[in-house]
Amino acid sequence: MAQPPGPEGRLWLRDDLPQHIPETRIFLYEYNSTAVYGKDRDTFIGKANELLEAIRIDREDIESRPILFLGHSMGGLLIKQALINAHNNPKYTPIKNATTGLAFFATPHNGGDWMLVSLGGVVAKIASTVGFQKGDDVLETLKKGSIFSDVLQEHWRQQLLQYDIISFWGALDNVVPVESARFGMPGDHENVVKLNADHSGVCKFGPSLEDQDNFKLVRSNIKDLYKNALMKRELSVIPCHIDTEGKSKSVDDEELQARFAALKGNSS
C-alpha cells in the first residue's frame, strides 16, 4: 500500500509518520484481494471479521485507546464493512467505539455519476488496473456490485457522523474520480484533499518534490485526526473530585482548559 516501487522505497507508515504522531502503534494489514472480493458478499463480510479479530487480539487490555483507520482504494471498503460488522457484533463493538478517525485514499464510495456507472463498475475498473483479467471471478463478482449492496446504504450512513474523515483523491487518477472518492459531508466531518498523483500513487511517497508535497498534506491531515482522537479520549475520561464530605465535584472549567492546553502542546 505505502511503499514506492523499487528497493529504495521507504515505508512512510513505519519510517516517517511516527515522527509526527508520537506514542502511537501503527499496524499494516495485508490481505489477498482475490480472496476478499472474488466470490460473494459472505466472503467479503467474513474477511472484514478477520480484520476485526486481528485488531482485537492486538488490543487486549488497551481497548480504550483511540483507533485511526487508513485505507487505500478497495481497502477502504473493507474498513467500512469491518465497522458495520463491529456495530452488529458485541465482541467487536469496542473497536468501533474506539474508532475516531478515518483516512481514505482514492476509495470509491459510490459510482460517481449514478446514471452512468455503478460502484461495482468502478471497483471492477480498479481491479483491472492492478492485473485482474477479463473472465476472472474477481472482475465478474465486482461488476455485479452485490457485495457492496449494504456498505453504502443505511448500515454505513448511520455511522458516518461518528468519525472525523479525510478523503484523499488523486488529480491524475483516471480510475476513481473525486465525485466517487468523497462522501459530500460538511467540512466539520469530512476534509476532501487533492493529491497530485494517480490511483496507485496517492499513498506512495518517494523523494521527489511532488511526492514530498503530497506527503506533507497527508501527514498534516493525519496529525489532525490524531489530535482530535486525543481530545475525544480526554473528554471521555473527565474525572470527578470527591470532597471531604463525600460529594463529587466535576473538574472546573479552568482546570479543564489547562488540560486541553497541555494536550495541544504535547501533540504539536
Side-chain angles (χ1 to χ4, degrees):
M1 163 182 158
Q3 189 168 3
E8 301 302 322
R10 288 173 61 85
L11 187 60
W12 62 273
L13 289 166
R14 179 194 65 206
D15 301 325
D16 300 311
L17 194 60
Q19 300 174 30
H20 304 280
I21 49 172
E23 299 181 1
T24 57
R25 302 193 309 158
I26 298 176
F27 297 91
L28 182 65
Y29 185 75
E30 297 181 287
Y31 64 94
N32 184 332
S33 57
T34 301
V36 173
Y37 303 105
K39 294 184 179 179
D40 52 36
R41 178 151 181 77
D42 288 340
T43 302
F44 184 59
I45 293 174
K47 290 298 179 181
N49 280 334
E50 289 182 19
L51 169 60
L52 291 170
E53 182 65 10
I55 295 170
R56 186 186 71 84
I57 62 175
D58 271 318
R59 285 175 58 84
E60 291 181 342
D61 302 323
I62 54 171
E63 291 87 352
S64 64
R65 286 188 63 148
I67 297 174
L68 304 178
F69 280 106
L70 283 64
H72 172 239
S73 193
M74 295 189 292
L77 300 179
L78 190 65
I79 289 171
K80 290 161 67 174
Q81 183 62 57
L83 290 170
I84 291 171
N85 292 6
H87 176 77
N88 296 321
N89 187 337
K91 182 178 182 181
Y92 300 126
T93 300
I95 294 175
K96 181 189 79 73
N97 292 341
T99 300
T100 61
L102 307 171
F104 295 108
F105 294 79
T107 292
H109 301 298
N110 57 64
D113 187 338
W114 287 99
M115 299 298 292
L116 299 176
V117 62
S118 67
L119 173 61
V122 173
V123 180
K125 188 175 181 181
I126 295 172
S128 297
T129 66
V130 297
F132 291 107
Q133 302 297 318
K134 185 176 181 180
D136 285 350
D137 288 342
V138 172
L139 283 185
E140 297 309 311
T141 301
L142 293 175
K143 285 178 182 177
K144 295 176 183 177
S146 60
I147 64 173
F148 309 121
S149 59
D150 293 330
V151 172
L152 295 178
Q153 296 184 17
E154 288 307 313
H155 291 296
W156 174 246
R157 285 201 293 264
Q158 290 173 7
Q159 291 193 34
L160 267 176
L161 295 180
Q162 299 176 25
Y163 312 115
D164 297 316
I165 297 175
I166 311 295
S167 296
F168 296 104
W169 65 282
L172 307 178
D173 190 343
N174 59 6
V175 180
V176 178
V178 61
E179 294 82 8
S180 179
R182 66 186 179 190
F183 292 102
M185 298 170 62
D188 58 341
H189 285 287
E190 179 189 24
N191 189 24
V192 181
V193 181
K194 180 181 77 171
L195 301 177
N196 291 314
D198 60 16
H199 185 72
S200 65
V202 293
C203 62
K204 296 177 181 178
F205 310 110
S208 72
L209 180 60
E210 186 172 67
D211 279 355
Q212 287 304 300
D213 286 343
N214 285 341
F215 177 64
K216 186 177 181 180
L217 288 169
V218 170
R219 179 189 71 203
S220 178
N221 277 276
I222 293 176
K223 191 173 181 179
D224 286 343
L225 293 181
Y226 170 69
K227 289 180 179 180
N228 289 340
L230 294 181
M231 193 73 73
K232 288 180 179 180
R233 183 177 67 173
E234 186 76 5
L235 286 171
S236 70
V237 294
I238 294 175
C240 290
H241 293 161
I242 306 298
D243 64 18
T244 56
E245 297 180 357
K247 297 178 180 180
S248 63
K249 298 171 62 178
S250 296
V251 176
D252 59 37
D253 289 342
E254 185 176 343
E255 182 177 346
L256 189 57
Q257 291 299 324
R259 292 175 62 183
F260 283 160
L263 183 62
K264 290 179 179 179
N266 290 336
S267 59
S268 62

Short mmCIF file of all heavy atoms in Angstrom, two decimals, residues 12 42 47-48 62 83 122 143 148 155 159 165-166 175 186 205 214 239 267:
data_model
loop_
_atom_site.label_atom_id
_atom_site.label_comp_id
_atom_site.label_asym_id
_atom_site.label_seq_id
_atom_site.Cartn_x
_atom_site.Cartn_y
_atom_site.Cartn_z
N TRP A 12 6.45 4.79 4.52
CA TRP A 12 6.22 6.02 5.26
C TRP A 12 5.45 5.80 6.55
O TRP A 12 5.62 6.54 7.52
CB TRP A 12 5.52 7.05 4.38
CG TRP A 12 4.16 6.69 3.88
CD1 TRP A 12 3.87 5.98 2.74
CD2 TRP A 12 2.90 7.03 4.46
NE1 TRP A 12 2.52 5.85 2.58
CE2 TRP A 12 1.89 6.49 3.62
CE3 TRP A 12 2.52 7.73 5.60
CZ2 TRP A 12 0.53 6.64 3.90
CZ3 TRP A 12 1.16 7.88 5.88
CH2 TRP A 12 0.19 7.33 5.03
N ASP A 42 -20.84 -12.93 1.37
CA ASP A 42 -20.49 -13.63 2.61
C ASP A 42 -18.98 -13.66 2.81
O ASP A 42 -18.48 -13.53 3.93
CB ASP A 42 -21.06 -15.05 2.60
CG ASP A 42 -22.57 -15.07 2.77
OD1 ASP A 42 -23.11 -14.06 3.27
OD2 ASP A 42 -23.20 -16.07 2.41
N LYS A 47 -14.11 -11.66 5.62
CA LYS A 47 -12.77 -11.06 5.63
C LYS A 47 -12.73 -9.81 6.49
O LYS A 47 -11.72 -9.51 7.13
CB LYS A 47 -12.32 -10.75 4.20
CG LYS A 47 -12.03 -11.99 3.36
CD LYS A 47 -10.88 -12.80 3.95
CE LYS A 47 -10.59 -14.04 3.14
NZ LYS A 47 -9.48 -14.85 3.72
N ALA A 48 -13.83 -9.07 6.51
CA ALA A 48 -13.90 -7.91 7.39
C ALA A 48 -13.82 -8.34 8.85
O ALA A 48 -13.19 -7.68 9.69
CB ALA A 48 -15.18 -7.12 7.12
N ILE A 62 -6.05 -2.80 26.37
CA ILE A 62 -5.93 -1.38 25.99
C ILE A 62 -7.08 -1.00 25.06
O ILE A 62 -6.91 -0.22 24.12
CB ILE A 62 -4.57 -1.08 25.32
CG1 ILE A 62 -4.33 -2.02 24.12
CG2 ILE A 62 -3.43 -1.15 26.32
CD1 ILE A 62 -3.13 -1.61 23.30
N LEU A 83 -16.35 -1.91 10.16
CA LEU A 83 -17.02 -1.08 11.16
C LEU A 83 -18.51 -1.39 11.24
O LEU A 83 -19.11 -1.32 12.32
CB LEU A 83 -16.79 0.40 10.84
CG LEU A 83 -15.35 0.88 11.06
CD1 LEU A 83 -15.16 2.28 10.49
CD2 LEU A 83 -14.99 0.84 12.53
N VAL A 122 -16.95 0.75 -10.91
CA VAL A 122 -15.73 1.48 -10.56
C VAL A 122 -14.71 0.54 -9.95
O VAL A 122 -13.52 0.57 -10.29
CB VAL A 122 -16.05 2.64 -9.58
CG1 VAL A 122 -14.77 3.29 -9.09
CG2 VAL A 122 -16.92 3.68 -10.27
N LYS A 143 -18.23 -6.55 -10.86
CA LYS A 143 -19.12 -5.88 -11.80
C LYS A 143 -20.57 -5.96 -11.35
O LYS A 143 -21.35 -5.02 -11.55
CB LYS A 143 -18.96 -6.50 -13.19
CG LYS A 143 -17.68 -6.08 -13.90
CD LYS A 143 -17.57 -6.78 -15.25
CE LYS A 143 -16.27 -6.41 -15.95
NZ LYS A 143 -16.11 -7.13 -17.24
N PHE A 148 -21.31 -4.99 -2.29
CA PHE A 148 -21.31 -3.66 -1.67
C PHE A 148 -22.72 -3.15 -1.42
O PHE A 148 -22.91 -1.98 -1.10
CB PHE A 148 -20.58 -2.66 -2.56
CG PHE A 148 -19.22 -3.13 -2.99
CD1 PHE A 148 -18.91 -3.27 -4.33
CD2 PHE A 148 -18.24 -3.44 -2.05
CE1 PHE A 148 -17.66 -3.70 -4.73
CE2 PHE A 148 -17.00 -3.88 -2.45
CZ PHE A 148 -16.71 -4.01 -3.79
N HIS A 155 -26.73 0.97 6.68
CA HIS A 155 -25.81 0.49 7.72
C HIS A 155 -24.61 1.41 7.87
O HIS A 155 -24.15 1.70 8.98
CB HIS A 155 -25.33 -0.93 7.42
CG HIS A 155 -26.42 -1.95 7.55
ND1 HIS A 155 -27.04 -2.23 8.74
CD2 HIS A 155 -27.00 -2.76 6.63
CE1 HIS A 155 -27.95 -3.17 8.56
NE2 HIS A 155 -27.95 -3.50 7.28
N GLN A 159 -23.46 5.47 10.56
CA GLN A 159 -22.23 5.63 11.33
C GLN A 159 -21.42 6.85 10.92
O GLN A 159 -20.54 7.29 11.66
CB GLN A 159 -21.34 4.40 11.15
CG GLN A 159 -21.85 3.13 11.79
CD GLN A 159 -20.75 2.08 11.84
OE1 GLN A 159 -19.57 2.39 12.02
NE2 GLN A 159 -21.13 0.83 11.68
N ILE A 165 -13.33 12.38 9.12
CA ILE A 165 -12.97 11.69 7.88
C ILE A 165 -12.11 12.58 6.99
O ILE A 165 -12.41 13.76 6.80
CB ILE A 165 -14.23 11.24 7.11
CG1 ILE A 165 -15.02 10.21 7.95
CG2 ILE A 165 -13.87 10.66 5.75
CD1 ILE A 165 -16.33 9.79 7.32
N ILE A 166 -11.05 11.99 6.46
CA ILE A 166 -10.23 12.63 5.43
C ILE A 166 -10.38 11.80 4.16
O ILE A 166 -10.14 10.59 4.17
CB ILE A 166 -8.74 12.69 5.81
CG1 ILE A 166 -8.56 13.26 7.22
CG2 ILE A 166 -7.97 13.52 4.79
CD1 ILE A 166 -8.97 14.68 7.39
N VAL A 175 -9.22 6.44 -12.55
CA VAL A 175 -10.00 5.27 -12.14
C VAL A 175 -11.11 5.67 -11.17
O VAL A 175 -12.28 5.34 -11.38
CB VAL A 175 -9.10 4.20 -11.49
CG1 VAL A 175 -9.92 2.98 -11.09
CG2 VAL A 175 -7.97 3.79 -12.44
N PRO A 186 -20.45 17.71 5.36
CA PRO A 186 -19.99 19.05 5.76
C PRO A 186 -18.52 19.04 6.14
O PRO A 186 -17.97 18.01 6.55
CB PRO A 186 -20.88 19.37 6.98
CG PRO A 186 -22.09 18.52 6.81
CD PRO A 186 -21.60 17.25 6.15
N PHE A 205 4.98 7.69 -1.45
CA PHE A 205 5.71 8.95 -1.39
C PHE A 205 7.20 8.71 -1.49
O PHE A 205 7.82 8.20 -0.56
CB PHE A 205 5.37 9.70 -0.10
CG PHE A 205 3.88 9.78 0.14
CD1 PHE A 205 3.29 9.07 1.16
CD2 PHE A 205 3.08 10.56 -0.69
CE1 PHE A 205 1.94 9.14 1.38
CE2 PHE A 205 1.72 10.63 -0.48
CZ PHE A 205 1.14 9.92 0.55
N ASN A 214 2.91 16.02 -1.49
CA ASN A 214 1.75 15.17 -1.20
C ASN A 214 1.82 14.62 0.22
O ASN A 214 0.83 14.62 0.96
CB ASN A 214 1.69 14.00 -2.19
CG ASN A 214 1.19 14.42 -3.56
OD1 ASN A 214 0.57 15.47 -3.72
ND2 ASN A 214 1.46 13.60 -4.56
N PRO A 239 -12.51 13.38 34.92
CA PRO A 239 -12.75 12.83 36.26
C PRO A 239 -13.60 13.74 37.13
O PRO A 239 -13.84 14.90 36.80
CB PRO A 239 -11.33 12.74 36.84
CG PRO A 239 -10.63 13.91 36.20
CD PRO A 239 -11.21 14.02 34.81
N SER A 267 0.92 17.49 21.50
CA SER A 267 0.65 16.89 20.17
C SER A 267 1.05 17.81 19.04
O SER A 267 0.81 17.50 17.88
CB SER A 267 -0.83 16.54 20.05
OG SER A 267 -1.63 17.68 20.21
#
